[in-house]
Amino acid sequence: MQSNIKKIRKSRRYSIEFKQSIINLFERGEYSVPQLEKLYGIGTTQIYNWIYKYSTFNEKCVRIVEMKDSNQNK
């Protein structure tokens, strides 16, 4: 006997306003991407995708690289 059970989506859907609020926190320099990942439970790749798509500072085809403190001191 087979039941009609719908599959539960494993991925979450976020509103555009939420995505832009996360990007604003990053652009203001309040949080880094790994910090946002820990605070909100969102993967870093997803946050970077949002930055590439919705950021006001990002130019097309330009990759964002965050430098760690140890690399800046060298």
Side-chain angles (χ1 to χ4, degrees), residues 4 6-8 10 12 14 16 18 21-23 30 32 39 44 46 48 52-53 58 68-69 71 73-74:
N4 294 331
K6 292 182 178 180
K7 290 186 178 181
I8 298 174
K10 293 183 181 179
R12 296 182 184 156
Y14 299 100
I16 294 174
F18 177 76
S21 68
I22 296 291
I23 293 166
E30 295 179 21
S32 65
L39 284 173
T44 55
Q46 186 65 47
Y48 280 118
Y52 294 136
K53 190 171 183 179
N58 188 27
K68 294 188 179 190
D69 292 334
N71 290 338
N73 293 335
K74 289 182 181 179

Side-chain angles (χ1 to χ4, degrees), residues 37-74:
E37 175 190 19
K38 290 178 184 175
L39 284 173
Y40 293 99
I42 304 168
T44 55
T45 55
Q46 186 65 47
I47 296 172
Y48 280 118
N49 287 336
W50 294 346
I51 290 170
Y52 294 136
K53 190 171 183 179
Y54 298 109
S55 178
T56 58
F57 298 124
N58 188 27
E59 296 176 16
K60 196 168 186 169
C61 300
V62 175
R63 175 167 269 191
I64 297 172
V65 177
E66 284 188 288
M67 300 296 288
K68 294 188 179 190
D69 292 334
S70 61
N71 290 338
Q72 289 177 349
N73 293 335
K74 289 182 181 179

Side-chain angles (χ1 to χ4, degrees), residues 16-32:
I16 294 174
E17 293 82 17
F18 177 76
K19 294 174 186 178
Q20 289 174 340
S21 68
I22 296 291
I23 293 166
N24 287 335
L25 290 173
F26 173 74
E27 286 179 343
R28 282 188 252 140
E30 295 179 21
Y31 296 102
S32 65

